[in-house]
Short mmCIF file of all heavy atoms in Angstrom, two decimals:
data_model
loop_
_atom_site.label_atom_id
_atom_site.label_comp_id
_atom_site.label_asym_id
_atom_site.label_seq_id
_atom_site.Cartn_x
_atom_site.Cartn_y
_atom_site.Cartn_z
N MET U 1 0.85 -1.19 0.00
CA MET U 1 0.00 0.00 0.00
C MET U 1 0.89 1.24 0.00
O MET U 1 1.97 1.24 0.56
CB MET U 1 -0.87 -0.01 1.26
CG MET U 1 -1.87 1.12 1.32
SD MET U 1 -2.88 1.01 2.82
CE MET U 1 -1.84 1.88 3.97
N ARG U 2 0.35 2.26 -0.65
CA ARG U 2 1.09 3.51 -0.75
C ARG U 2 0.18 4.64 -0.30
O ARG U 2 -1.05 4.56 -0.45
CB ARG U 2 1.51 3.71 -2.21
CG ARG U 2 2.54 4.78 -2.44
CD ARG U 2 3.12 4.60 -3.84
NE ARG U 2 2.06 4.75 -4.85
CZ ARG U 2 1.97 5.79 -5.68
NH1 ARG U 2 2.87 6.72 -5.67
NH2 ARG U 2 0.99 5.85 -6.55
N ILE U 3 0.76 5.67 0.25
CA ILE U 3 -0.02 6.86 0.60
C ILE U 3 0.51 8.02 -0.23
O ILE U 3 1.72 8.32 -0.21
CB ILE U 3 0.08 7.17 2.10
CG1 ILE U 3 -0.62 6.03 2.87
CG2 ILE U 3 -0.55 8.53 2.42
CD1 ILE U 3 -0.50 6.12 4.36
N ILE U 4 -0.40 8.62 -0.96
CA ILE U 4 -0.05 9.77 -1.78
C ILE U 4 -0.21 11.01 -0.91
O ILE U 4 -1.28 11.25 -0.34
CB ILE U 4 -0.95 9.85 -3.02
CG1 ILE U 4 -0.79 8.58 -3.85
CG2 ILE U 4 -0.63 11.09 -3.85
CD1 ILE U 4 -1.86 8.39 -4.91
N VAL U 5 0.87 11.77 -0.77
CA VAL U 5 0.88 12.94 0.11
C VAL U 5 0.61 14.19 -0.73
O VAL U 5 1.39 14.53 -1.62
CB VAL U 5 2.24 13.06 0.83
CG1 VAL U 5 2.30 14.35 1.64
CG2 VAL U 5 2.47 11.85 1.72
N HIS U 6 -0.51 14.83 -0.41
CA HIS U 6 -0.82 16.12 -1.05
C HIS U 6 -0.33 17.22 -0.12
O HIS U 6 -1.08 17.77 0.69
CB HIS U 6 -2.32 16.22 -1.31
CG HIS U 6 -2.85 15.14 -2.21
ND1 HIS U 6 -2.66 15.18 -3.57
CD2 HIS U 6 -3.50 13.99 -1.94
CE1 HIS U 6 -3.20 14.09 -4.11
NE2 HIS U 6 -3.72 13.35 -3.15
N LYS U 7 0.94 17.45 -0.23
CA LYS U 7 1.65 18.33 0.71
C LYS U 7 1.00 19.71 0.81
O LYS U 7 0.93 20.30 1.89
CB LYS U 7 3.10 18.43 0.24
CG LYS U 7 3.92 19.54 0.81
CD LYS U 7 4.48 19.20 2.15
CE LYS U 7 5.42 20.30 2.65
NZ LYS U 7 5.58 20.24 4.10
N ALA U 8 0.53 20.25 -0.30
CA ALA U 8 -0.02 21.61 -0.30
C ALA U 8 -1.28 21.72 0.56
O ALA U 8 -1.63 22.81 1.00
CB ALA U 8 -0.30 22.06 -1.73
N ARG U 9 -1.95 20.60 0.80
CA ARG U 9 -3.17 20.65 1.61
C ARG U 9 -2.89 20.58 3.10
O ARG U 9 -3.77 20.87 3.91
CB ARG U 9 -4.08 19.47 1.25
CG ARG U 9 -4.64 19.52 -0.14
CD ARG U 9 -5.66 18.39 -0.30
NE ARG U 9 -5.95 18.15 -1.70
CZ ARG U 9 -6.51 17.03 -2.16
NH1 ARG U 9 -6.87 16.08 -1.32
NH2 ARG U 9 -6.73 16.88 -3.45
N CYS U 10 -1.69 20.15 3.48
CA CYS U 10 -1.39 19.95 4.90
C CYS U 10 -1.42 21.27 5.64
O CYS U 10 -0.80 22.25 5.24
CB CYS U 10 -0.01 19.29 5.06
SG CYS U 10 0.47 19.09 6.79
N GLN U 11 -2.16 21.26 6.77
CA GLN U 11 -2.25 22.45 7.62
C GLN U 11 -1.61 22.21 8.99
O GLN U 11 -1.80 22.99 9.92
CB GLN U 11 -3.72 22.85 7.81
CG GLN U 11 -4.41 23.26 6.52
CD GLN U 11 -3.83 24.54 5.93
OE1 GLN U 11 -3.52 25.47 6.66
NE2 GLN U 11 -3.66 24.58 4.62
N GLY U 12 -0.91 21.09 9.12
CA GLY U 12 -0.17 20.83 10.36
C GLY U 12 -1.00 20.34 11.52
O GLY U 12 -0.64 20.56 12.68
N HIS U 13 -2.08 19.64 11.25
CA HIS U 13 -2.93 19.14 12.35
C HIS U 13 -2.27 18.00 13.14
O HIS U 13 -2.64 17.76 14.28
CB HIS U 13 -4.27 18.66 11.80
CG HIS U 13 -5.11 19.75 11.22
ND1 HIS U 13 -5.66 20.75 11.98
CD2 HIS U 13 -5.46 20.03 9.93
CE1 HIS U 13 -6.34 21.59 11.20
NE2 HIS U 13 -6.23 21.16 9.93
N ALA U 14 -1.36 17.30 12.49
CA ALA U 14 -0.57 16.24 13.14
C ALA U 14 -1.39 15.05 13.63
O ALA U 14 -0.91 14.25 14.42
CB ALA U 14 0.27 16.80 14.29
N ARG U 15 -2.61 14.92 13.18
CA ARG U 15 -3.40 13.74 13.58
C ARG U 15 -2.84 12.46 12.95
O ARG U 15 -2.94 11.39 13.53
CB ARG U 15 -4.86 13.92 13.17
CG ARG U 15 -5.52 15.06 13.91
CD ARG U 15 -6.99 15.09 13.61
NE ARG U 15 -7.55 16.37 14.00
CZ ARG U 15 -8.81 16.72 13.78
NH1 ARG U 15 -9.62 15.91 13.16
NH2 ARG U 15 -9.24 17.90 14.18
N CYS U 16 -2.29 12.61 11.76
CA CYS U 16 -1.71 11.44 11.09
C CYS U 16 -0.58 10.84 11.93
O CYS U 16 -0.56 9.64 12.20
CB CYS U 16 -1.20 11.83 9.71
SG CYS U 16 -0.06 13.24 9.71
N SER U 17 0.34 11.68 12.36
CA SER U 17 1.49 11.16 13.11
C SER U 17 1.10 10.73 14.52
O SER U 17 1.77 9.90 15.12
CB SER U 17 2.63 12.17 13.15
OG SER U 17 2.25 13.30 13.87
N ALA U 18 0.01 11.27 15.05
CA ALA U 18 -0.47 10.78 16.35
C ALA U 18 -0.91 9.32 16.23
O ALA U 18 -0.71 8.53 17.14
CB ALA U 18 -1.62 11.66 16.84
N GLN U 19 -1.48 8.95 15.09
CA GLN U 19 -1.92 7.57 14.85
C GLN U 19 -0.74 6.66 14.52
O GLN U 19 -0.70 5.52 14.98
CB GLN U 19 -2.92 7.52 13.69
CG GLN U 19 -4.24 8.18 13.96
CD GLN U 19 -5.17 7.30 14.78
OE1 GLN U 19 -4.94 6.10 14.94
NE2 GLN U 19 -6.20 7.90 15.33
N ALA U 20 0.16 7.15 13.70
CA ALA U 20 1.24 6.31 13.20
C ALA U 20 2.52 7.14 13.03
O ALA U 20 2.88 7.52 11.92
CB ALA U 20 0.83 5.68 11.86
N PRO U 21 3.22 7.39 14.13
CA PRO U 21 4.41 8.26 14.06
C PRO U 21 5.54 7.69 13.20
O PRO U 21 6.35 8.45 12.68
CB PRO U 21 4.84 8.39 15.53
CG PRO U 21 4.16 7.29 16.25
CD PRO U 21 2.91 6.98 15.50
N ASP U 22 5.58 6.37 13.05
CA ASP U 22 6.65 5.78 12.23
C ASP U 22 6.35 5.90 10.74
O ASP U 22 7.26 5.75 9.91
CB ASP U 22 6.84 4.31 12.58
CG ASP U 22 7.41 4.14 13.98
OD1 ASP U 22 8.01 5.11 14.49
OD2 ASP U 22 7.23 3.05 14.55
N VAL U 23 5.10 6.15 10.41
CA VAL U 23 4.71 6.25 8.99
C VAL U 23 4.71 7.70 8.53
O VAL U 23 5.23 8.03 7.46
CB VAL U 23 3.30 5.63 8.79
CG1 VAL U 23 2.84 5.83 7.34
CG2 VAL U 23 3.31 4.16 9.16
N PHE U 24 4.11 8.55 9.36
CA PHE U 24 3.93 9.95 8.96
C PHE U 24 4.95 10.83 9.67
O PHE U 24 4.86 11.07 10.87
CB PHE U 24 2.51 10.41 9.28
CG PHE U 24 1.47 9.59 8.59
CD1 PHE U 24 0.74 8.64 9.28
CD2 PHE U 24 1.24 9.75 7.23
CE1 PHE U 24 -0.22 7.86 8.65
CE2 PHE U 24 0.29 8.97 6.58
CZ PHE U 24 -0.44 8.03 7.29
N ARG U 25 5.94 11.26 8.94
CA ARG U 25 7.01 12.11 9.48
C ARG U 25 6.66 13.57 9.23
O ARG U 25 6.25 13.93 8.13
CB ARG U 25 8.33 11.79 8.78
CG ARG U 25 8.72 10.33 8.88
CD ARG U 25 9.33 10.03 10.22
NE ARG U 25 9.82 8.65 10.26
CZ ARG U 25 10.24 8.09 11.39
NH1 ARG U 25 10.24 8.77 12.51
NH2 ARG U 25 10.65 6.85 11.38
N LEU U 26 6.87 14.37 10.26
CA LEU U 26 6.57 15.80 10.16
C LEU U 26 7.87 16.60 10.18
O LEU U 26 8.87 16.17 10.76
CB LEU U 26 5.67 16.23 11.32
CG LEU U 26 4.39 15.43 11.54
CD1 LEU U 26 3.58 16.04 12.66
CD2 LEU U 26 3.56 15.33 10.26
N ASP U 27 7.81 17.78 9.58
CA ASP U 27 8.98 18.65 9.63
C ASP U 27 9.00 19.43 10.95
O ASP U 27 8.13 19.23 11.82
CB ASP U 27 9.03 19.57 8.40
CG ASP U 27 7.89 20.57 8.35
OD1 ASP U 27 7.25 20.83 9.39
OD2 ASP U 27 7.62 21.10 7.25
N ASP U 28 9.96 20.30 11.12
CA ASP U 28 10.12 21.01 12.40
C ASP U 28 8.94 21.89 12.73
O ASP U 28 8.73 22.26 13.89
CB ASP U 28 11.40 21.86 12.36
CG ASP U 28 12.65 21.00 12.38
OD1 ASP U 28 12.55 19.80 12.71
OD2 ASP U 28 13.74 21.52 12.05
N GLU U 29 8.16 22.25 11.74
CA GLU U 29 7.00 23.10 11.98
C GLU U 29 5.70 22.29 12.07
O GLU U 29 4.62 22.87 12.17
CB GLU U 29 6.91 24.16 10.88
CG GLU U 29 8.10 25.11 10.94
CD GLU U 29 8.13 26.11 9.82
OE1 GLU U 29 7.54 25.86 8.75
OE2 GLU U 29 8.76 27.17 10.01
N GLY U 30 5.83 20.98 12.00
CA GLY U 30 4.66 20.13 12.19
C GLY U 30 3.88 19.80 10.94
O GLY U 30 2.75 19.32 11.02
N TYR U 31 4.48 20.03 9.79
CA TYR U 31 3.83 19.71 8.52
C TYR U 31 4.39 18.40 7.98
O TYR U 31 5.56 18.07 8.19
CB TYR U 31 4.05 20.82 7.49
CG TYR U 31 3.32 22.09 7.82
CD1 TYR U 31 3.87 23.01 8.71
CD2 TYR U 31 2.08 22.38 7.26
CE1 TYR U 31 3.20 24.19 9.04
CE2 TYR U 31 1.40 23.55 7.57
CZ TYR U 31 1.97 24.45 8.46
OH TYR U 31 1.29 25.60 8.78
N ILE U 32 3.55 17.69 7.24
CA ILE U 32 3.97 16.41 6.68
C ILE U 32 5.14 16.63 5.70
O ILE U 32 5.16 17.61 4.96
CB ILE U 32 2.78 15.71 5.97
CG1 ILE U 32 3.09 14.25 5.64
CG2 ILE U 32 2.35 16.46 4.70
CD1 ILE U 32 2.87 13.33 6.77
N LEU U 33 6.08 15.70 5.72
CA LEU U 33 7.19 15.79 4.77
C LEU U 33 6.68 15.45 3.36
O LEU U 33 5.76 14.65 3.21
CB LEU U 33 8.31 14.83 5.16
CG LEU U 33 9.05 15.16 6.47
CD1 LEU U 33 10.09 14.08 6.76
CD2 LEU U 33 9.72 16.52 6.39
N PRO U 34 7.26 16.05 2.34
CA PRO U 34 6.81 15.78 0.98
C PRO U 34 7.21 14.38 0.52
O PRO U 34 8.13 13.78 1.07
CB PRO U 34 7.53 16.85 0.15
CG PRO U 34 8.74 17.19 0.95
CD PRO U 34 8.36 17.02 2.39
N GLY U 35 6.50 13.88 -0.48
CA GLY U 35 6.84 12.58 -1.07
C GLY U 35 5.88 11.51 -0.63
O GLY U 35 5.44 11.47 0.53
N ASP U 36 5.53 10.63 -1.56
CA ASP U 36 4.61 9.53 -1.25
C ASP U 36 5.27 8.55 -0.28
O ASP U 36 6.49 8.47 -0.19
CB ASP U 36 4.20 8.83 -2.53
CG ASP U 36 3.41 9.76 -3.45
OD1 ASP U 36 2.98 10.82 -2.96
OD2 ASP U 36 3.25 9.41 -4.62
N ILE U 37 4.44 7.80 0.43
CA ILE U 37 4.92 6.92 1.50
C ILE U 37 4.58 5.47 1.15
O ILE U 37 3.42 5.14 0.92
CB ILE U 37 4.26 7.30 2.84
CG1 ILE U 37 4.57 8.75 3.20
CG2 ILE U 37 4.71 6.35 3.94
CD1 ILE U 37 3.71 9.29 4.34
N GLU U 38 5.59 4.62 1.11
CA GLU U 38 5.37 3.18 0.96
C GLU U 38 5.14 2.59 2.36
O GLU U 38 5.96 2.80 3.26
CB GLU U 38 6.58 2.50 0.32
CG GLU U 38 6.75 2.78 -1.16
CD GLU U 38 5.62 2.20 -2.01
OE1 GLU U 38 4.96 1.22 -1.56
OE2 GLU U 38 5.40 2.73 -3.10
N VAL U 39 4.05 1.88 2.53
CA VAL U 39 3.69 1.36 3.85
C VAL U 39 3.94 -0.14 3.89
O VAL U 39 3.46 -0.89 3.03
CB VAL U 39 2.21 1.65 4.15
CG1 VAL U 39 1.83 1.11 5.52
CG2 VAL U 39 1.94 3.16 4.08
N GLY U 40 4.69 -0.58 4.88
CA GLY U 40 4.98 -2.00 5.04
C GLY U 40 3.77 -2.78 5.53
O GLY U 40 2.80 -2.21 6.03
N GLU U 41 3.84 -4.10 5.40
CA GLU U 41 2.73 -4.98 5.77
C GLU U 41 2.21 -4.73 7.17
O GLU U 41 1.02 -4.62 7.40
CB GLU U 41 3.18 -6.44 5.67
CG GLU U 41 3.23 -6.98 4.26
CD GLU U 41 1.84 -7.20 3.69
OE1 GLU U 41 0.98 -7.66 4.43
OE2 GLU U 41 1.65 -6.89 2.50
N GLY U 42 3.12 -4.62 8.12
CA GLY U 42 2.72 -4.53 9.52
C GLY U 42 2.17 -3.18 9.93
O GLY U 42 1.68 -3.02 11.04
N GLU U 43 2.24 -2.19 9.05
CA GLU U 43 1.84 -0.83 9.43
C GLU U 43 0.58 -0.37 8.72
O GLU U 43 0.16 0.77 8.88
CB GLU U 43 2.98 0.14 9.08
CG GLU U 43 4.24 -0.08 9.88
CD GLU U 43 5.35 0.85 9.46
OE1 GLU U 43 5.61 0.94 8.24
OE2 GLU U 43 5.95 1.49 10.33
N GLN U 44 -0.05 -1.27 7.98
CA GLN U 44 -1.13 -0.83 7.10
C GLN U 44 -2.35 -0.34 7.88
O GLN U 44 -2.98 0.65 7.47
CB GLN U 44 -1.52 -1.95 6.15
CG GLN U 44 -0.34 -2.33 5.27
CD GLN U 44 -0.73 -2.87 3.93
OE1 GLN U 44 -1.90 -3.14 3.70
NE2 GLN U 44 0.22 -3.03 3.05
N LEU U 45 -2.70 -1.00 8.97
CA LEU U 45 -3.89 -0.59 9.72
C LEU U 45 -3.70 0.80 10.31
O LEU U 45 -4.54 1.69 10.12
CB LEU U 45 -4.19 -1.61 10.82
CG LEU U 45 -5.43 -1.31 11.65
CD1 LEU U 45 -6.68 -1.26 10.78
CD2 LEU U 45 -5.60 -2.34 12.76
N LEU U 46 -2.59 1.00 11.00
CA LEU U 46 -2.34 2.32 11.60
C LEU U 46 -2.18 3.39 10.53
O LEU U 46 -2.64 4.52 10.69
CB LEU U 46 -1.08 2.28 12.47
CG LEU U 46 -1.24 1.65 13.84
CD1 LEU U 46 0.10 1.62 14.57
CD2 LEU U 46 -2.28 2.39 14.67
N ALA U 47 -1.53 3.04 9.43
CA ALA U 47 -1.32 4.02 8.36
C ALA U 47 -2.65 4.44 7.75
O ALA U 47 -2.87 5.63 7.47
CB ALA U 47 -0.41 3.43 7.29
N SER U 48 -3.56 3.49 7.54
CA SER U 48 -4.84 3.88 6.94
C SER U 48 -5.67 4.69 7.93
O SER U 48 -6.33 5.65 7.55
CB SER U 48 -5.60 2.67 6.43
OG SER U 48 -5.82 1.75 7.45
N ARG U 49 -5.58 4.36 9.20
CA ARG U 49 -6.26 5.19 10.20
C ARG U 49 -5.72 6.61 10.20
O ARG U 49 -6.46 7.59 10.26
CB ARG U 49 -6.06 4.61 11.60
CG ARG U 49 -7.00 3.50 11.93
CD ARG U 49 -6.83 3.12 13.38
NE ARG U 49 -7.44 1.85 13.68
CZ ARG U 49 -7.06 1.04 14.65
NH1 ARG U 49 -6.05 1.37 15.43
NH2 ARG U 49 -7.68 -0.09 14.85
N GLY U 50 -4.39 6.70 10.15
CA GLY U 50 -3.76 8.03 10.15
C GLY U 50 -4.15 8.84 8.93
O GLY U 50 -4.45 10.03 9.03
N ALA U 51 -4.17 8.19 7.78
CA ALA U 51 -4.53 8.89 6.55
C ALA U 51 -5.97 9.38 6.61
O ALA U 51 -6.27 10.52 6.24
CB ALA U 51 -4.33 7.97 5.35
N ARG U 52 -6.86 8.54 7.14
CA ARG U 52 -8.27 8.94 7.21
C ARG U 52 -8.50 10.01 8.27
O ARG U 52 -9.50 10.72 8.21
CB ARG U 52 -9.14 7.72 7.52
CG ARG U 52 -9.30 6.79 6.34
CD ARG U 52 -10.48 5.84 6.53
NE ARG U 52 -10.38 5.12 7.79
CZ ARG U 52 -9.87 3.90 7.92
NH1 ARG U 52 -9.42 3.26 6.87
NH2 ARG U 52 -9.81 3.31 9.09
N SER U 53 -7.59 10.14 9.21
CA SER U 53 -7.78 11.11 10.29
C SER U 53 -7.45 12.54 9.86
O SER U 53 -7.73 13.48 10.61
CB SER U 53 -6.94 10.73 11.51
OG SER U 53 -5.57 11.02 11.28
N CYS U 54 -6.85 12.70 8.71
CA CYS U 54 -6.46 14.05 8.28
C CYS U 54 -7.70 14.85 7.86
O CYS U 54 -8.36 14.50 6.88
CB CYS U 54 -5.47 13.99 7.13
SG CYS U 54 -5.05 15.64 6.54
N PRO U 55 -8.00 15.94 8.55
CA PRO U 55 -9.19 16.71 8.21
C PRO U 55 -9.07 17.49 6.90
O PRO U 55 -10.07 17.95 6.35
CB PRO U 55 -9.35 17.67 9.40
CG PRO U 55 -8.00 17.78 9.99
CD PRO U 55 -7.31 16.48 9.73
N GLU U 56 -7.85 17.62 6.40
CA GLU U 56 -7.62 18.35 5.14
C GLU U 56 -7.60 17.41 3.94
O GLU U 56 -7.38 17.86 2.82
CB GLU U 56 -6.31 19.13 5.21
CG GLU U 56 -6.15 20.02 6.42
CD GLU U 56 -7.17 21.14 6.47
OE1 GLU U 56 -7.71 21.51 5.41
OE2 GLU U 56 -7.43 21.65 7.58
N ARG U 57 -7.76 16.12 4.18
CA ARG U 57 -7.68 15.11 3.11
C ARG U 57 -6.37 15.22 2.33
O ARG U 57 -6.34 15.14 1.10
CB ARG U 57 -8.87 15.22 2.15
CG ARG U 57 -10.21 15.00 2.87
CD ARG U 57 -11.35 15.04 1.89
NE ARG U 57 -12.66 14.98 2.55
CZ ARG U 57 -13.27 13.85 2.90
NH1 ARG U 57 -12.72 12.71 2.63
NH2 ARG U 57 -14.44 13.89 3.49
N ALA U 58 -5.31 15.41 3.07
CA ALA U 58 -3.99 15.55 2.45
C ALA U 58 -3.34 14.20 2.17
O ALA U 58 -2.34 14.14 1.46
CB ALA U 58 -3.08 16.37 3.36
N LEU U 59 -3.92 13.12 2.72
CA LEU U 59 -3.28 11.80 2.63
C LEU U 59 -4.24 10.84 1.93
O LEU U 59 -5.29 10.51 2.46
CB LEU U 59 -2.95 11.30 4.04
CG LEU U 59 -2.08 12.27 4.85
CD1 LEU U 59 -2.03 11.85 6.30
CD2 LEU U 59 -0.69 12.38 4.25
N GLU U 60 -3.85 10.41 0.75
CA GLU U 60 -4.71 9.58 -0.09
C GLU U 60 -4.19 8.15 -0.11
O GLU U 60 -3.03 7.91 -0.44
CB GLU U 60 -4.72 10.17 -1.50
CG GLU U 60 -5.59 9.43 -2.48
CD GLU U 60 -5.48 10.03 -3.89
OE1 GLU U 60 -4.93 11.14 -4.03
OE2 GLU U 60 -5.91 9.35 -4.82
N LEU U 61 -5.05 7.21 0.23
CA LEU U 61 -4.66 5.80 0.20
C LEU U 61 -4.64 5.29 -1.23
O LEU U 61 -5.57 5.52 -1.99
CB LEU U 61 -5.65 4.96 1.00
CG LEU U 61 -5.64 5.15 2.51
CD1 LEU U 61 -6.77 4.35 3.14
CD2 LEU U 61 -4.31 4.75 3.10
N ASP U 62 -3.58 4.58 -1.58
CA ASP U 62 -3.47 3.97 -2.91
C ASP U 62 -3.19 2.50 -2.71
O ASP U 62 -2.09 2.11 -2.32
CB ASP U 62 -2.35 4.65 -3.69
CG ASP U 62 -2.18 4.04 -5.07
OD1 ASP U 62 -3.00 3.16 -5.45
OD2 ASP U 62 -1.22 4.43 -5.76
N ARG U 63 -4.19 1.67 -2.93
CA ARG U 63 -4.04 0.23 -2.68
C ARG U 63 -3.73 -0.54 -3.95
O ARG U 63 -3.77 -1.76 -3.95
CB ARG U 63 -5.32 -0.32 -2.04
CG ARG U 63 -5.62 0.29 -0.68
CD ARG U 63 -6.86 -0.33 -0.07
NE ARG U 63 -7.25 0.31 1.17
CZ ARG U 63 -6.73 0.02 2.37
NH1 ARG U 63 -5.77 -0.88 2.46
NH2 ARG U 63 -7.15 0.64 3.45
N THR U 64 -3.44 0.15 -5.04
CA THR U 64 -3.17 -0.56 -6.30
C THR U 64 -1.77 -1.15 -6.31
O THR U 64 -0.91 -0.70 -5.60
CB THR U 64 -3.33 0.38 -7.50
OG1 THR U 64 -2.43 1.47 -7.37
CG2 THR U 64 -4.75 0.87 -7.60
FE1 F3S N 101 -0.97 17.53 7.81
FE2 F3S N 101 -3.21 16.22 7.86
FE3 F3S N 101 -1.14 15.22 9.05
S1 F3S N 101 -3.03 18.39 7.98
S2 F3S N 101 0.13 16.95 9.66
S3 F3S N 101 -1.34 15.58 6.87
S4 F3S N 101 -3.21 15.23 9.83
#
């Protein structure tokens, strides 16, 4: 599974990293780092929760 990061939409709510800090890395100002994220087998549940928790819809799940 991959997460497509729409960096421009991020407003720094940090809900994603609260769910899955190992998946969603934030910069020093609390915004998601740019670049899509490859999610390992063991992290998929937390990663999808984190992605869905973003109120700005900045994190798009790609299961293809
Ligand atoms: Fe940004 Fe959404 Fe996470 S606004 S810090 S991607 S919860």
Side-chain angles (χ1 to χ4, degrees):
M1 184 179 86
R2 193 165 61 110
I3 294 174
I4 300 166
V5 175
H6 300 283
K7 164 83 174 159
R9 293 187 196 162
C10 177
Q11 297 294 320
H13 295 292
R15 294 187 196 176
C16 54
S17 65
Q19 293 281 346
D22 292 338
V23 175
F24 301 104
R25 304 280 185 190
L26 307 184
D27 66 19
D28 290 344
E29 295 175 336
Y31 291 83
I32 193 83
L33 293 177
D36 296 346
I37 301 167
E38 287 295 336
V39 180
E41 282 288 320
E43 295 177 310
Q44 299 208 350
L45 181 60
L46 282 178
S48 57
R49 278 187 195 154
R52 286 197 306 264
S53 74
C54 177
E56 308 296 337
R57 299 183 186 274
L59 305 168
E60 181 184 347
L61 291 175
D62 179 5
R63 297 182 185 277
T64 59

